[in-house]
Structures are given as C-alpha cells and as structure tokens.
Amino acid sequence: MSVDVRYAAFGGLTAILLFGTLYSVAYDTYLDTSNPILTHLPHHLHATHYFANKGNILNSYFIKRAWGWTSAAFLALWLTSPPHKRTVHRVVKWGVETAVWLVFTSWFFGPALLERLTVASGGECTATLQSGAVFTVPYEYCLTRTAISQETHPFLFIGPLAESSLWAPDDRLPVLPRLRKGHDVSGHVFLLTMSALFLVDQIRVSLCARTWSLAHASAVAFNIVLVAIWLVGIFTTGVYFHSPFEKFTGYLLGVAGYMVTLLC
C-alpha cells in the first residue's frame, strides 16, 4: 500500500501540472515571469481570474511560506505518532529536505542555486522604474537585495553607467532590482512538488500504524488538507505563471529534491 500511495501522489501531481500547463498554452493564460517588461505588471487576467492575482490568499498566506507550513505539518505528524513510528530517520529526512530547500532558494556558498541557474542562462539584474522603464544594473544589487534610487545611487541614473534615456523625472522612489531574463525556474512548482511528495511519504507511515490517537488523527487530517492545498497551488501556477519549460524544470527539481530523501 505504501508504494501505491506514493505512486498515486506522483501521478496525480504530474497530471495536475500537465493539465494546468497545457491549459495555459491553449488559452494564453500564463505570464512570462522572466520578461522584465511584463513581470512587474499585473497579470493580464488579474481582474477576472482570482488566482491570476499574486495577492490571492493562497499565494500570500500559504505558498510564500510553503516550507514553514510543510515543516509544521510534519512535526505535528511526527510528534503525535505512536512511539515506534517516531523515528530519528524521519527527522533526518525532514532535515535533508530543509537543506535542499535552503540550497535552492536561499544560500549555496553565496547565491542560491535557482539564482545561479538564472544567471548562467543569461539572466540580468534589472530595475523597473516608476515610469515603467527597465534597465540593467550590476548583479551585486540583486545578490544583496539592495534598493536603489536616484538619491541613493545617482551614478546609475546620471553618468557612464546610466541609461538616461530611460529615466523620467518622477522616478524617485527606491526600487528593488530583480533577476530577470534567462531561465527563471519556477520556484513555486519546485517547492510545492517537493513538499507534497514529502508529506505523502510521511502520511504513508501513519497509514501503516494500527491505531491512531485523536491528536494523531487530527495531524493526519492537517497533512492531507495541506497536500491538497499544495496541489491547488501547483495547478494555479501551471495555469497562470511561468513559461511551460520553466514549470517543467521546477517540477524536475522538485522530484529530484524529494528523491534525495529516498537515499537516506
């Protein structure tokens, strides 16, 4: 049964992302987040499609904190498990997944791996001004997440490094440069794929237990609900954000991140 549960989760997740991606191509619903001219603008369907708005409740309160939610769900499951199921091995798996998350999204002897992939594929550090103009700035501003403005970094606006033809008098508010262009691997698909597969694997352990306490049953229910939320997040990302290939590479990295735990 354990193998069936994991294969079912893998197959269902894959089908959901594939359907969402095909739908986005057929009906032109996705936003190319690598395009610096488009990415700072509202999604072209934001007024009519709730989940096309990045401020939707799913994105704001769940996906942006996905690994925190996943960790909380796992810890609730582990702490309430029967003693013989509360093994160190399961905690090690969670630790490995946490390390994978950090390496790809936060730090890997400097920039995170996802940032390195974007740069290696032609990505540039770009700033979008209030007037809508976009220009390239040195990469370290993205690396250090430094906000820039005409007052704080005048040499970027006036002088040899400036692209003065792009500047407008109202461009005075600080802006935060972002990595754009290149191949922007879908971090959402990566993280949600890895999180969903990891939680299903942990739920599988509980399904093998003979009896559950009320607390453990509640923890299992919480994990199942969270997996469902992650699948909805994968679907909405598939429909509304990133190019098909960026979603595909995010999916591959998410599966690979989960597969690492099978080596533990």
Side-chain angles (χ1 to χ4, degrees):
M1 175 163 57
S2 62
V3 174
D4 291 343
V5 170
R6 288 185 287 189
Y7 273 117
F10 178 76
L13 186 155
T14 303
I16 287 170
L17 180 61
L18 180 61
F19 177 76
T21 301
L22 292 176
Y23 182 95
S24 74
V25 173
Y27 294 96
D28 190 28
T29 59
Y30 72 87
L31 176 71
D32 184 359
T33 55
S34 298
N35 188 330
I37 298 176
L38 298 177
T39 192
H40 73 286
L41 298 174
H43 195 288
H44 59 284
L45 298 174
H46 78 284
T48 55
H49 294 61
Y50 177 72
F51 288 108
N53 187 329
K54 293 181 181 180
N56 69 74
I57 189 171
L58 181 66
N59 189 54
S60 298
Y61 295 99
F62 287 95
I63 296 178
K64 287 185 177 180
R65 300 170 175 82
W67 193 247
W69 281 105
T70 298
S71 297
F74 162 72
L75 291 174
L77 197 66
W78 186 81
L79 289 171
T80 60
S81 293
H84 67 288
K85 296 292 185 181
R86 205 178 305 142
T87 63
V88 174
H89 183 234
R90 295 174 67 186
V91 178
V92 169
K93 284 192 171 188
W94 169 78
V96 169
E97 291 287 71
T98 300
V100 171
W101 165 66
L102 288 170
V103 162
F104 277 96
T105 64
S106 300
W107 181 86
F108 182 67
F109 302 100
L113 278 184
L114 291 184
E115 290 184 354
R116 291 177 184 269
L117 287 171
T118 301
V119 173
S121 59
E124 298 176 356
C125 185
T126 63
T128 303
L129 303 180
Q130 297 297 312
S131 59
V134 178
F135 68 102
T136 302
V137 299
Y139 173 59
E140 56 264 24
Y141 291 110
C142 282
L143 178 61
T144 58
R145 292 173 171 79
T146 302
I148 63 173
S149 69
Q150 184 190 6
E151 285 74 20
T152 59
H153 298 80
F155 58 90
L156 294 176
F157 296 83
I158 303 172
L161 295 179
E163 299 188 35
S164 57
S165 61
L166 298 179
W167 178 77
D170 61 343
D171 288 323
R172 298 184 182 279
L173 295 178
V175 295
L176 190 66
R178 300 287 299 273
L179 277 175
R180 299 301 181 198
K181 302 180 181 179
H183 182 74
D184 181 23
V185 176
S186 176
H188 282 179
V189 172
F190 156 70
L191 183 53
L192 296 181
T193 296
M194 189 175 74
S195 296
L197 293 176
F198 172 73
L199 289 182
V200 168
D201 195 21
Q202 294 304 310
I203 293 170
R204 170 189 63 87
V205 178
S206 294
L207 295 178
C208 296
R210 293 184 178 180
T211 58
W212 293 352
S213 65
L214 178 60
H216 190 59
S218 300
V220 171
F222 174 39
N223 275 259
I224 292 173
V225 170
L226 194 59
V227 169
I229 291 173
W230 294 161
L231 294 179
V232 172
I234 288 170
F235 177 70
T236 57
T237 302
V239 171
Y240 297 114
F241 300 102
H242 285 280
S243 68
F245 189 49
E246 290 170 347
K247 286 176 278 204
F248 176 66
T249 52
Y251 164 80
L252 289 182
L253 288 178
V255 171
Y258 164 70
M259 294 293 286
V260 170
T261 66
L262 301 183
L263 304 175
C264 300

